[in-house]
Amino acid sequence: MALSGLFTPCARIMAHRALCRGLALTASSALDIRGIYPPITTPFTNQEEVDYEKLEENLQNYNHIPFRGFVVQGSNGEYAYLTSEERVEVVRRVRKAVPTNRLVIAGSGCESTQATIRMTEEMAKFGADAVLVVTPAYYRGRMTSTALIHHYSKVADCSPVPVVLYSVPGNTGLDIPVDAIVTLSQHQNIIGIKDSGGDVTRIGLIIHKTKRQGFQVLSGSASFLLAGYSIGAVGGICALANVLGAQLCALESMCLNDQWEEAKELQHRLIEPNAAVTRRFGVPGVKQVMEWYGYHGGPCRSPLLPLTDEEIKELKKAFTANGWL
Amino acid sequence: MALSGLFTPCARIMAHRALCRGLALTASSALDIRGIYPPITTPFTNQEEVDYEKLEENLQNYNHIPFRGFVVQGSNGEYAYLTSEERVEVVRRVRKAVPTNRLVIAGSGCESTQATIRMTEEMAKFGADAVLVVTPAYYRGRMTSTALIHHYSKVADCSPVPVVLYSVPGNTGLDIPVDAIVTLSQHQNIIGIKDSGGDVTRIGLIIHKTKRQGFQVLSGSASFLLAGYSIGAVGGICALANVLGAQLCALESMCLNDQWEEAKELQHRLIEPNAAVTRRFGVPGVKQVMEWYGYHGGPCRSPLLPLTDEEIKELKKAFTANGWL
Amino acid sequence: MALSGLFTPCARIMAHRALCRGLALTASSALDIRGIYPPITTPFTNQEEVDYEKLEENLQNYNHIPFRGFVVQGSNGEYAYLTSEERVEVVRRVRKAVPTNRLVIAGSGCESTQATIRMTEEMAKFGADAVLVVTPAYYRGRMTSTALIHHYSKVADCSPVPVVLYSVPGNTGLDIPVDAIVTLSQHQNIIGIKDSGGDVTRIGLIIHKTKRQGFQVLSGSASFLLAGYSIGAVGGICALANVLGAQLCALESMCLNDQWEEAKELQHRLIEPNAAVTRRFGVPGVKQVMEWYGYHGGPCRSPLLPLTDEEIKELKKAFTANGWL
Amino acid sequence: MALSGLFTPCARIMAHRALCRGLALTASSALDIRGIYPPITTPFTNQEEVDYEKLEENLQNYNHIPFRGFVVQGSNGEYAYLTSEERVEVVRRVRKAVPTNRLVIAGSGCESTQATIRMTEEMAKFGADAVLVVTPAYYRGRMTSTALIHHYSKVADCSPVPVVLYSVPGNTGLDIPVDAIVTLSQHQNIIGIKDSGGDVTRIGLIIHKTKRQGFQVLSGSASFLLAGYSIGAVGGICALANVLGAQLCALESMCLNDQWEEAKELQHRLIEPNAAVTRRFGVPGVKQVMEWYGYHGGPCRSPLLPLTDEEIKELKKAFTANGWL
């Protein structure tokens, strides 16, 4: 694996940009990303090294589920804990393990624009069909609409593959403002957004104001998947899909086939399990439940701790009480 | 109007309570509150006195709209600015002006439990079909589930009419915790909740966990009315219904008749107008738009200021841009 | 007690205002409010009625402590749970029980401007030396600088006694913006502020920008009393003064006499007890500790609950661990 | 520059740890970090490359100011935008440029524990006297006291130099809980904390509860430097020291020499300039003012944008209005 591009001077990238623009124009046109995706986790050994074999086994075990594809290095992939080399290598391995009719969407966001561009290029080189770019957030007081529009426009100008925006205020403390999204939706290489905030009013407004661009909105959590569909979202990237993937695909199917009553019943039973593996217990929660369902969960990287016995009990209850275990 | 009951010693109320319990049992059983309600505004004269005539004229002008009823003294009624006497008198006037086949739900919440009980009794006496009881919130740090359960149970024990919980964190900085709602839903005289927070995940969970009690959940704002219906809410109390009431009733009808595609299109066009008359410009915004639609809006009580010219322009744009003006 | 003024039409007040202005000009000039004040609690009987006798006994027990005066119906007085009549009557009783060389500052804030004016007039009539006016906050989204300036200016125009602003974001969710305070500090009848937010940067800036007006800033909590003095505050209105009043007066004395090292040692030992009777356990906490110190604490009004045994244990620890019990 | 250690497998580090513990015991004992530090900025070329020459010139220009030392890669160093190699190289250059009697405290925090350990080791190797370790925050919902204690203990176990905790909720959305700080203060290789939250109550409590350990608390912003000293802080790491360094050292001196009145006057004039270069305009603000004072400011890395003309005007006013320009 050659990573020479990762740490070369920014100047080359800058010069390269005029070229990029043309490239982007043809590359993006119309990638259809409708559907359900698990934001897959990254298995680690007990020494906290990436366990690529278990990663590949998980992917094989997902094969029978009608996912549209896989998101690599969303928040559940512990991307923040991976080195640059690991981030790229994980994408490379996933792409090889996943059938070509499934999309691989890779999380390439970094804090700086130039690092994000480099990461995007590397991930595209190794087979990502699209990139998911989280908001840079450390200096969130200065991450105005203008700053975010600059950032995402530059990344999209240079990206060989389509860009999906990623707004996850629970982790970043930052929402991309609606006006910035509307502006960015007009960029030919920005095709959609994963919105994990859960505010359906906001999601409805984004859909309303970008519909002419064919902008695709994905719900970022299973708890509002039905509500998202009702308002015009076209899919979901949901932590819960790592363990209840078939059920989420069934929910998608009900929504698309106007079986709203059944969808409602199913959705109700997913809220508590979803809360347990997101807000309540996060990635360690997802990984614990994966073990119960026959996938490889395993430890997180430090400083994420495994759940306590008490927490595991509460986690289990969220699944049993709703008939899932 | 005799208000002697309003300020008598609490002791009488307390003694009265054993009696209340029996009363409540028969009073509530099954009031059906499904449907759309405007939380009506309170017109004032230029001297900031309640203008009862204009109030009654507004109600007459709403007559042709298929509302289920009217909410008096929700947040849009500026109840926080009315004296105890005014609060009761407004309810009395509304009840007289409104046909008996329309419900009158009166906001009777005060900070203390005893004041809430007195207000509830007065409002019931003058014809309220149910009361809407906002969370006491000044000492929000101590308004735990336990405290809220105590408060609402006492009020419901004593109330001659059914009680609807009212959670409006935008004004109170306080959400009723879901576990408290589940407990309270088992009280025979507590029949539902108006939830204005807009978190459909939370709303879905409340519905899921109270469905055996026949607990009725009403969306507290028009921006998530469709999403609310999709997840099991049975109606809405929406500031926007003061001006786009027929449209909200049309949206209700679409949702109930499985016309989800049309519902979605309509919902999209309601989000910006709704934001303008709630979060953005509040009660002065609602009242301004009422003037444009031929209702009596007029001034708010101080310290609520009228909108500036700049704000009015922005407000108008939210309606024109969506085809409503 | 004649309360006829309390609920008369606003018009009279309005007409009265031209007169007020002149009155205010002479009334305020230079009330010196430097010093330490307990925001006294309101004792209740077991039936939750105001217990005026116990109130008076508490005041007598405070006599030996060199307080500058007493604040009646700050947040600790449960003013939000008192009827208008009770609010005025409590002030009347306190004024009678307190020696004339101690100030009585009465909390007269209500949500509406006109109710605040009426309450202010009543309280002044019954002997309040100044009024403390909490920010109206229910419609906090519209409580802009402009709205707050209007509100406080009108109240100060009409008030027969000097006005002290009261910013307590922990209860109201609202800070008076610094620019509004600077503007209001120029009103002849607005003489200071109680700031309970605890942000010494903000407090320092307020002092810096109002020093020409002789505006007096009081710390609203004992936890930053020393820091407040270091930056220019002239006193404190502190819940903790209800139980450790002598100690707070000692701390004041150390700060005024440049005994900063001793002051620091004392301040350190006050932080945990203070947190316990404010953020952690609120008014029920203060009242519980009052019992330990020989004052009348007693129950709060509902919905404020008494502390659980567990909470009492934790509360006690905050005092014993710092050598106060 | 050999960076081989940076990306080797974690296993080696883990095995290495038993050794570390002994090392740490002797390394830390009693580094005295009292005093004022600028958290220096990182100059970039117009192509956004690190400009090491300008970095060194800035350091020379700071030579005449009685700083205790320099903080490299605090938030103002845009560390989040530097590659691992750049982070280490900047520390190396700073150490070479700075006289040995000045401390170099290097920000070595990363999201994962293992990356933080590696970065810490590298920075120590190249001459950092201590490391400043920001809270990992991406998964803030799981960054409990337990998780933070684990993280910091592991880092401190392995660090060849003393560790200073860094709590900066404005950027991370996370405060280290006081109980975790108290526990960590007992670790021999953890010598203090930079607290940027500005809550002097919290700072006072930390000092109170760690004083037996000789734990050293540094104020993280100039706006509460005086208040910090009054309550027992021993210095400050302040963005404003990049431009008003002599003045902050003068303020320090006044506080240490009990000239509290003069200190207060000076402190007051620093609040608005400080707000302008922190909360209001952040790093681009600091860099802009550096240009006015004859230092190299220059551009930030994207996505941080330069200030607009309007913002520059406002920034300037914060300095001129207080007599600094």
Side-chain angles (χ1 to χ4, degrees):
Chain A
M1 185 180 67
L3 277 176
S4 59
L6 262 181
F7 302 109
T8 50
C10 173
R12 221 195 52 182
I13 299 293
M14 297 296 173
H16 176 59
R17 207 160 280 166
L19 269 173
C20 295
R21 230 174 258 269
L23 202 144
L25 283 179
T26 54
S28 74
S29 47
L31 184 66
D32 178 345
I33 56 172
R34 289 177 294 174
I36 301 294
Y37 304 76
I40 61 170
T41 60
T42 306
F44 294 107
T45 66
N46 287 332
Q47 285 72 43
E48 299 194 7
E49 296 305 308
V50 179
D51 191 326
Y52 293 103
E53 276 181 39
K54 288 191 173 165
L55 173 68
E56 287 158 8
E57 284 176 30
N58 278 344
L59 289 167
Q60 276 148 23
N61 285 329
Y62 287 138
N63 245 343
H64 68 287
I65 304 176
F67 291 136
R68 178 72 182 95
F70 299 90
V71 166
V72 193
Q73 289 167 49
S75 300
N76 284 284
E78 292 173 70
Y79 80 87
Y81 294 166
L82 301 183
T83 65
S84 302
E85 286 78 2
E86 287 170 338
R87 290 182 69 172
V88 176
E89 178 63 6
V90 166
V91 170
R92 194 178 72 85
R93 297 285 191 119
V94 169
R95 179 67 282 177
K96 285 179 71 173
V98 162
T100 51
N101 64 340
R102 306 280 185 121
L103 294 179
V104 171
I105 302 182
S108 67
C110 303
E111 280 290 328
S112 83
T113 307
Q114 65 175 230
T116 304
I117 290 171
R118 288 167 192 184
M119 186 60 76
T120 295
E121 293 181 325
E122 288 293 316
M123 286 176 164
K125 186 160 77 185
F126 289 105
D129 295 298
V131 287
L132 181 69
V133 181
V134 71
T135 49
Y138 190 73
Y139 302 99
R140 63 176 62 80
R142 297 298 296 167
M143 291 300 103
T144 57
S145 278
T146 314
L148 291 170
I149 290 171
H150 271 249
H151 175 71
Y152 279 111
S153 298
K154 280 187 187 179
V155 172
D157 284 350
C158 269
S159 174
V161 294
V163 169
V164 179
L165 310 177
Y166 181 18
S167 194
V168 57
N171 287 336
T172 62
L174 185 72
D175 250 338
I176 315 180
V178 173
D179 68 311
I181 295 171
V182 173
T183 299
L184 289 168
S185 74
Q186 291 157 14
H187 191 293
Q188 199 152 354
N189 207 22
I190 298 179
I191 61 168
I193 186 171
K194 173 188 180 186
D195 195 305
S196 297
D199 178 348
V200 291
T201 301
R202 171 183 152 91
I203 290 174
L205 186 57
I206 292 169
I207 293 167
H208 180 45
K209 300 193 76 134
T210 62
K211 63 179 71 153
R212 261 177 255 155
Q213 275 75 42
F215 194 69
Q216 301 169 80
V217 176
L218 302 174
S219 297
S221 199
S223 57
F224 53 93
L225 193 55
L226 163 59
Y229 274 111
S230 80
I231 204 73
V234 299
I237 301 173
C238 311
L240 194 63
N242 281 295
V243 291
L244 294 179
Q247 289 82 350
L248 294 195
C249 290
L251 180 53
E252 172 197 29
S253 168
M254 292 169 189
C255 291
L256 297 180
N257 293 298
D258 272 334
Q259 300 169 289
W260 294 99
E261 199 58 31
E262 295 89 332
K264 186 179 72 182
E265 296 305 316
L266 178 51
Q267 173 70 81
H268 282 177
R269 294 169 58 209
L270 296 171
I271 296 176
E272 286 180 306
N274 185 71
V277 298
T278 56
R279 257 175 249 199
R280 189 73 191 83
F281 298 119
V283 189
V286 179
K287 286 189 162 180
Q288 176 61 65
V289 183
M290 287 178 75
E291 294 288 335
W292 295 335
Y293 278 90
Y295 302 105
H296 297 297
C300 292
R301 246 182 202 173
S302 301
L304 277 178
L305 297 179
L307 303 184
T308 64
D309 289 349
E310 199 60 40
E311 290 174 324
I312 290 174
K313 224 171 112 185
E314 197 187 319
L315 175 66
K316 182 159 266 173
K317 203 181 143 203
F319 281 78
T320 53
N322 289 280
W324 300 120
L325 273 178
Chain B
M1 186 181 68
L3 277 177
S4 59
L6 262 182
F7 302 110
T8 50
C10 171
R12 221 195 52 182
I13 300 293
M14 296 298 172
H16 178 57
R17 208 159 281 166
L19 271 171
C20 295
R21 232 173 258 270
L23 204 143
L25 283 179
T26 54
S28 72
S29 48
L31 184 66
D32 178 345
I33 56 171
R34 288 177 295 175
I36 301 294
Y37 305 74
I40 60 170
T41 59
T42 306
F44 294 107
T45 66
N46 287 333
Q47 285 72 43
E48 299 193 8
E49 297 305 308
V50 178
D51 190 327
Y52 293 102
E53 276 182 40
K54 289 192 172 163
L55 174 67
E56 286 158 8
E57 284 175 31
N58 278 344
L59 289 167
Q60 276 150 22
N61 285 329
Y62 287 138
N63 245 344
H64 69 284
I65 303 176
F67 290 135
R68 178 73 182 93
F70 299 89
V71 166
V72 193
Q73 290 168 47
S75 300
N76 284 284
E78 292 174 69
Y79 81 87
Y81 294 165
L82 302 183
T83 65
S84 302
E85 287 79 2
E86 288 170 337
R87 289 182 68 171
V88 177
E89 178 64 6
V90 166
V91 169
R92 195 179 70 86
R93 299 284 190 118
V94 169
R95 178 67 283 176
K96 285 178 70 174
V98 161
T100 51
N101 64 341
R102 308 277 185 121
L103 295 179
V104 171
I105 302 182
S108 67
C110 303
E111 281 290 327
S112 83
T113 306
Q114 64 174 229
T116 304
I117 290 171
R118 289 166 190 183
M119 186 60 76
T120 295
E121 293 181 324
E122 289 292 317
M123 286 177 166
K125 186 161 77 188
F126 289 105
D129 297 298
V131 288
L132 180 69
V133 181
V134 71
T135 48
Y138 190 72
Y139 302 100
R140 64 177 62 81
R142 297 298 296 167
M143 290 301 103
T144 57
S145 278
T146 313
L148 291 170
I149 289 171
H150 272 248
H151 175 72
Y152 280 111
S153 298
K154 282 187 184 178
V155 172
D157 283 351
C158 268
S159 174
V161 294
V163 169
V164 179
L165 310 176
Y166 181 18
S167 194
V168 57
N171 287 335
T172 62
L174 185 72
D175 251 337
I176 313 180
V178 172
D179 69 312
I181 295 170
V182 173
T183 299
L184 289 168
S185 73
Q186 292 157 14
H187 191 293
Q188 200 152 355
N189 208 21
I190 298 179
I191 61 168
I193 186 170
K194 172 187 181 187
D195 195 305
S196 298
D199 178 350
V200 290
T201 300
R202 172 184 151 91
I203 290 174
L205 186 58
I206 292 169
I207 293 167
H208 180 46
K209 300 193 77 136
T210 63
K211 63 178 69 151
R212 262 177 255 157
Q213 274 73 44
F215 194 70
Q216 302 169 78
V217 176
L218 302 174
S219 296
S221 199
S223 57
F224 53 93
L225 193 54
L226 162 60
Y229 274 111
S230 79
I231 204 74
V234 299
I237 301 173
C238 311
L240 193 64
N242 282 295
V243 290
L244 295 179
Q247 289 81 351
L248 294 195
C249 289
L251 180 53
E252 172 197 29
S253 169
M254 291 169 189
C255 291
L256 297 180
N257 293 299
D258 271 335
Q259 300 169 289
W260 295 99
E261 198 59 32
E262 294 90 331
K264 186 180 73 182
E265 295 305 317
L266 178 51
Q267 174 69 80
H268 282 177
R269 293 169 56 207
L270 296 171
I271 296 175
E272 285 179 307
N274 185 70
V277 299
T278 56
R279 255 175 250 198
R280 189 73 191 84
F281 299 118
V283 189
V286 179
K287 287 189 160 178
Q288 176 62 64
V289 182
M290 287 179 75
E291 294 288 337
W292 296 335
Y293 279 90
Y295 301 105
H296 297 297
C300 292
R301 248 184 198 169
S302 302
L304 277 178
L305 297 178
L307 302 185
T308 64
D309 289 349
E310 197 59 40
E311 290 175 324
I312 290 174
K313 223 170 114 185
E314 197 187 320
L315 175 66
K316 182 158 267 173
K317 201 179 144 205
F319 281 78
T320 53
N322 288 280
W324 300 120
L325 274 177
Chain C
M1 186 180 70
L3 276 177
S4 58
L6 261 181
F7 302 111
T8 50
C10 175
R12 221 195 52 181
I13 299 294
M14 295 300 174
H16 177 58
R17 208 159 279 165
L19 271 172
C20 295
R21 231 173 257 271
L23 205 144
L25 283 179
T26 54
S28 74
S29 47
L31 183 66
D32 178 345
I33 56 171
R34 288 177 294 175
I36 301 294
Y37 305 74
I40 61 170
T41 60
T42 306
F44 293 107
T45 65
N46 287 332
Q47 285 73 42
E48 299 194 7
E49 297 304 308
V50 179
D51 191 327
Y52 294 102
E53 278 181 38
K54 288 192 173 163
L55 173 67
E56 287 158 8
E57 284 177 30
N58 278 344
L59 290 167
Q60 276 149 23
N61 285 328
Y62 287 138
N63 245 342
H64 68 286
I65 304 176
F67 290 136
R68 177 73 182 95
F70 299 89
V71 166
V72 193
Q73 289 167 48
S75 301
N76 284 283
E78 293 172 68
Y79 80 87
Y81 294 165
L82 302 183
T83 65
S84 301
E85 287 79 1
E86 288 170 337
R87 289 182 68 172
V88 177
E89 178 63 6
V90 166
V91 169
R92 194 178 71 86
R93 298 285 190 118
V94 169
R95 178 68 283 177
K96 286 179 70 173
V98 162
T100 51
N101 64 341
R102 307 280 184 121
L103 294 179
V104 171
I105 301 182
S108 67
C110 302
E111 281 291 327
S112 82
T113 306
Q114 65 175 229
T116 305
I117 290 171
R118 289 165 190 185
M119 187 60 76
T120 295
E121 293 181 325
E122 288 293 316
M123 287 178 165
K125 186 160 77 185
F126 289 105
D129 296 298
V131 286
L132 180 68
V133 181
V134 71
T135 48
Y138 190 73
Y139 301 100
R140 64 176 61 82
R142 298 297 298 166
M143 291 300 103
T144 56
S145 279
T146 313
L148 292 170
I149 289 170
H150 271 249
H151 176 71
Y152 280 112
S153 297
K154 281 186 185 180
V155 172
D157 284 352
C158 269
S159 174
V161 294
V163 169
V164 179
L165 311 176
Y166 181 17
S167 194
V168 57
N171 286 335
T172 62
L174 185 72
D175 251 338
I176 315 179
V178 172
D179 68 311
I181 295 170
V182 173
T183 299
L184 290 167
S185 73
Q186 292 157 15
H187 191 293
Q188 201 152 353
N189 207 22
I190 298 179
I191 62 168
I193 186 170
K194 172 186 180 187
D195 195 304
S196 296
D199 178 349
V200 291
T201 300
R202 172 183 152 91
I203 290 174
L205 186 58
I206 292 168
I207 293 167
H208 180 44
K209 300 193 77 132
T210 62
K211 62 179 67 153
R212 263 177 254 157
Q213 275 74 43
F215 194 70
Q216 301 169 80
V217 176
L218 301 175
S219 297
S221 199
S223 57
F224 53 94
L225 194 54
L226 163 59
Y229 275 111
S230 80
I231 204 76
V234 299
I237 301 173
C238 310
L240 194 63
N242 281 297
V243 290
L244 294 179
Q247 290 81 350
L248 294 196
C249 290
L251 180 53
E252 172 197 29
S253 168
M254 291 168 188
C255 292
L256 297 179
N257 293 298
D258 271 335
Q259 298 169 289
W260 295 99
E261 197 59 30
E262 294 89 332
K264 187 179 72 184
E265 296 305 316
L266 178 51
Q267 173 70 81
H268 283 177
R269 293 169 58 207
L270 297 170
I271 296 175
E272 285 179 306
N274 185 70
V277 298
T278 57
R279 253 175 253 199
R280 189 73 191 83
F281 299 119
V283 189
V286 179
K287 286 189 161 179
Q288 177 60 64
V289 183
M290 287 179 75
E291 294 288 336
W292 295 337
Y293 279 90
Y295 301 105
H296 298 296
C300 293
R301 247 183 200 170
S302 301
L304 278 177
L305 297 179
L307 302 184
T308 64
D309 289 349
E310 199 60 39
E311 291 175 324
I312 291 174
K313 224 171 112 186
E314 196 187 321
L315 175 65
K316 183 159 265 172
K317 202 180 144 203
F319 281 78
T320 53
N322 289 279
W324 301 120
L325 274 176
Chain D
M1 187 180 69
L3 278 177
S4 59
L6 262 181
F7 303 110
T8 50
C10 173
R12 220 194 55 182
I13 299 292
M14 297 298 172
H16 177 59
R17 208 160 280 168
L19 269 173
C20 295
R21 231 173 257 271
L23 204 143
L25 283 178
T26 54
S28 74
S29 47
L31 183 67
D32 178 345
I33 56 172
R34 288 177 295 175
I36 301 295
Y37 305 74
I40 60 170
T41 60
T42 306
F44 293 107
T45 65
N46 287 333
Q47 285 73 43
E48 299 194 8
E49 296 305 309
V50 179
D51 191 326
Y52 293 103
E53 277 181 39
K54 288 190 173 165
L55 174 66
E56 287 158 6
E57 284 176 30
N58 278 344
L59 290 166
Q60 277 149 22
N61 285 329
Y62 287 139
N63 245 343
H64 67 286
I65 304 175
F67 290 136
R68 178 72 182 96
F70 299 89
V71 166
V72 193
Q73 289 168 47
S75 300
N76 284 283
E78 291 172 69
Y79 81 87
Y81 293 165
L82 302 183
T83 65
S84 302
E85 287 80 2
E86 287 170 337
R87 288 182 69 171
V88 177
E89 178 64 6
V90 166
V91 170
R92 194 179 73 85
R93 298 285 190 118
V94 169
R95 180 67 282 176
K96 285 178 70 173
V98 162
T100 52
N101 65 340
R102 308 278 185 121
L103 295 180
V104 171
I105 301 181
S108 67
C110 303
E111 281 290 328
S112 84
T113 307
Q114 66 174 229
T116 305
I117 290 171
R118 289 167 190 182
M119 187 60 77
T120 295
E121 293 181 325
E122 288 292 316
M123 286 177 164
K125 185 161 79 185
F126 289 106
D129 295 299
V131 287
L132 180 70
V133 180
V134 71
T135 48
Y138 190 73
Y139 302 99
R140 64 176 62 82
R142 297 298 296 168
M143 290 301 103
T144 57
S145 279
T146 314
L148 291 170
I149 289 171
H150 271 248
H151 175 72
Y152 280 112
S153 298
K154 282 188 186 177
V155 172
D157 283 351
C158 268
S159 173
V161 294
V163 169
V164 179
L165 310 176
Y166 181 19
S167 194
V168 57
N171 287 336
T172 62
L174 184 72
D175 251 337
I176 314 179
V178 172
D179 68 312
I181 295 171
V182 173
T183 299
L184 289 167
S185 74
Q186 291 157 15
H187 191 293
Q188 200 153 353
N189 208 22
I190 298 178
I191 61 168
I193 186 170
K194 173 187 181 186
D195 195 306
S196 297
D199 178 348
V200 291
T201 300
R202 173 184 150 91
I203 290 174
L205 186 58
I206 293 170
I207 293 167
H208 180 45
K209 300 194 76 132
T210 62
K211 62 178 71 153
R212 262 177 254 157
Q213 275 74 43
F215 194 69
Q216 302 168 80
V217 176
L218 301 175
S219 297
S221 199
S223 56
F224 53 93
L225 194 54
L226 163 59
Y229 274 111
S230 80
I231 204 73
V234 299
I237 301 174
C238 311
L240 194 63
N242 282 296
V243 290
L244 295 178
Q247 289 81 351
L248 294 195
C249 290
L251 180 53
E252 173 197 28
S253 168
M254 292 168 187
C255 292
L256 297 179
N257 293 299
D258 271 336
Q259 299 168 291
W260 295 99
E261 198 59 31
E262 293 90 330
K264 187 180 71 184
E265 297 304 317
L266 177 52
Q267 173 71 79
H268 282 177
R269 294 169 57 208
L270 296 171
I271 295 175
E272 286 179 307
N274 185 70
V277 298
T278 56
R279 256 175 251 198
R280 188 72 192 84
F281 299 118
V283 189
V286 179
K287 287 190 160 178
Q288 176 62 63
V289 182
M290 287 179 74
E291 293 287 336
W292 296 336
Y293 279 90
Y295 301 106
H296 298 296
C300 292
R301 248 185 199 169
S302 301
L304 278 177
L305 297 179
L307 303 184
T308 63
D309 288 350
E310 199 59 39
E311 290 175 324
I312 290 174
K313 223 169 115 186
E314 197 187 321
L315 175 66
K316 182 158 266 172
K317 201 179 145 205
F319 280 78
T320 53
N322 288 280
W324 300 121
L325 273 178

